[in-house]
Amino acid sequence: MADNKIIDGKLIAETMKKEIAAEVANMIDSGVGAPHLAAVLVGEDGASLTYVASKEKACRSVGMISSVYRLSEKSTEEDILKTIDFLNNDPEIDGYIVQLPLPKHINETKIIQSINHDKDVDGFTLYNIGLMQLGEPCYQPATPFGIIELLKRSNVEIAGKHIVVMGRSNIVGTPVSVMLSRKGIDATVTICHSKTQNLKELTRQADILIVAIGDPQFVKADMVKEGAVVIDVGIHRIKDNSEKGYHVVGDVDYDEVYKVASKITPVPGGVGPMTIVSLLHNTLMAAKNNKK
Ligand code: NAP
């Protein structure tokens, strides 16, 4: 029997994929064509290669077209900007991402801010960040969007609740805090970071605790209020003697915190699968706008 305490991100992501695939099939049937997501990949960073490959696979699994623009590690800013310019202007490409991190000699901000905001399916341009801040429709960053979908689709009440977010990064902590506090979602949000004093006092007040700090199993049971909902964003590979040579844990000590939480996301299988599906959601939105 399913454990109702566990928020099953894998299952929720599969459901969302089916919904997206149905919309893609409708677009193809009605003659507008399949959404097309492109990725710019600079260099041979192992994690980036894996992420881009899984994005391609996810695209194909819902009937979308995916293409990858591979540039050498030694590319100049100008080389990358040329590719960006091509993608910005190619009507066949509905949306695209630039896989981060870029090599050290490249100004990441300059590259990201050159993306046409209508195709910015990662939601990283200032234009999309501004719309998000105003609570207007926009491409919402993938992990925060995925977290909010997880909560909604698990019937967790958000409006009026006190949500404590641990971490203030530009890709997770800050945007998820902003999005949760907008009109219509209506949570009361506290953001914590490495300089926060009395951390435990704050986390223990959370009805919903979202943890995105990048510190393996940092959150223990005594930091969590009895009955709280806990969302663990962290992903860490811990070396072990298993066949794979490692196992994956989050920022939360799952076994301990499971005992006090009313709902909790596992790692793996919680927030992770939602991030890619959120990118597909944004690509579908981009294609609907582009192919109008
Ligand atoms: P990040 O850029 O390293 O930011 C970490 C944030 O946590 C910083 O704001 C830092 O504070 C804060 N912090 C660190 N230690 C803390 C502590 N003890 N108490 C309170 N705040 C603390 O990390 P990120 O990119 O947001 O990623 C966080 C984790 O999520 C990583 O494990 C990453 O791999 C994972 N992640 C997963 C997904 C997914 O799809 N599941 C997506 C993105 C990231 P300061 O600002 O003061 O330094």
Side-chain angles (χ1 to χ4, degrees):
M1 217 178 81
D3 180 344
N4 287 334
K5 231 187 204 193
I6 298 174
I7 298 180
D8 188 342
K10 221 170 150 187
L11 190 70
I12 295 171
E14 279 311 314
T15 306
M16 284 178 72
K17 267 193 190 172
K18 281 184 193 145
E19 293 166 5
I20 293 170
E23 290 207 48
V24 171
N26 278 340
M27 289 176 86
I28 296 170
D29 287 349
S30 62
V32 290
H36 186 163
L37 173 72
V40 178
L41 179 59
V42 185
E44 299 283 331
D45 175 73
S48 294
L49 290 171
T50 309
Y51 286 139
V52 169
S54 50
K55 285 167 190 172
E56 282 189 277
K57 193 172 153 207
C59 261
R60 298 208 182 101
S61 76
V62 296
M64 291 182 180
I65 303 165
S66 111
S67 48
V68 182
Y69 290 76
R70 292 168 202 275
L71 282 88
S72 117
E73 177 82 29
K74 296 201 177 90
S75 303
T76 62
E77 238 165 61
E78 207 174 302
D79 296 330
I80 303 172
L81 288 172
K82 263 189 208 154
T83 306
I84 300 275
D85 188 51
F86 169 78
L87 294 170
N88 281 347
N89 293 300
D90 182 354
E92 294 298 317
I93 307 280
D94 297 307
Y96 70 96
I97 59 152
V98 176
Q99 184 63 44
L100 301 178
L102 291 170
K104 288 206 168 46
H105 64 281
I106 304 292
N107 180 340
E108 218 163 77
T109 306
K110 190 170 168 192
I111 300 295
I112 296 297
Q113 298 313 324
S114 307
I115 298 174
N116 174 349
H117 57 72
D118 288 331
K119 298 188 177 193
D120 169 30
V121 286
D122 261 339
F124 287 167
T125 57
L126 294 174
Y127 182 83
N128 276 308
I129 294 170
L131 287 176
M132 176 188 72
Q133 174 83 25
L134 295 172
E136 295 288 336
C138 62
Y139 299 117
Q140 300 181 345
T143 305
F145 177 81
I147 292 170
I148 295 175
E149 280 300 304
L150 270 186
L151 291 170
K152 286 182 178 168
R153 288 174 184 249
S154 307
N155 298 317
V156 174
E157 216 183 305
I158 303 176
K161 297 295 175 190
H162 184 196
I163 302 187
V164 175
V165 177
M166 293 176 68
R168 58 176 167 185
S169 72
N170 289 337
I171 59 162
V172 188
T174 296
V176 81
S177 304
V178 171
M179 286 155 67
L180 286 163
S181 63
R182 295 309 83 188
K183 260 197 168 56
I185 299 193
D186 298 323
T188 303
V189 181
T190 300
I191 311 181
C192 302
H193 45 76
S194 66
K195 307 288 186 298
T196 296
Q197 293 179 358
N198 307 326
L199 183 66
K200 200 191 288 184
E201 253 170 53
L202 292 166
T203 59
R204 284 187 62 82
Q205 288 173 33
D207 300 310
I208 301 170
L209 181 63
I210 298 175
V211 191
I213 59 173
D215 195 346
Q217 300 181 308
F218 179 87
V219 173
K220 304 290 178 193
D222 66 350
M223 297 175 72
V224 179
K225 180 168 81 174
E226 185 82 37
V229 174
V230 179
I231 305 291
D232 186 355
V233 185
I235 305 179
H236 310 275
R237 278 186 180 189
I238 307 292
K239 283 189 183 153
D240 63 18
N241 293 325
S242 68
E243 211 172 291
K244 260 202 230 161
Y246 68 89
H247 62 282
V248 178
V249 301
D251 287 344
V252 173
D253 187 330
Y254 182 84
D255 292 339
E256 261 200 22
V257 174
Y258 176 90
K259 292 178 194 147
V260 291
S262 64
K263 284 185 190 290
I264 184 166
T265 56
V267 178
V271 175
M274 295 299 289
T275 297
I276 286 190
V277 93
S278 304
L279 180 65
L280 299 180
H281 164 92
N282 281 353
T283 304
L284 180 64
M285 196 170 140
K288 284 182 183 169
N289 290 335
N290 186 34
K291 296 187 197 300
K292 255 185 213 159

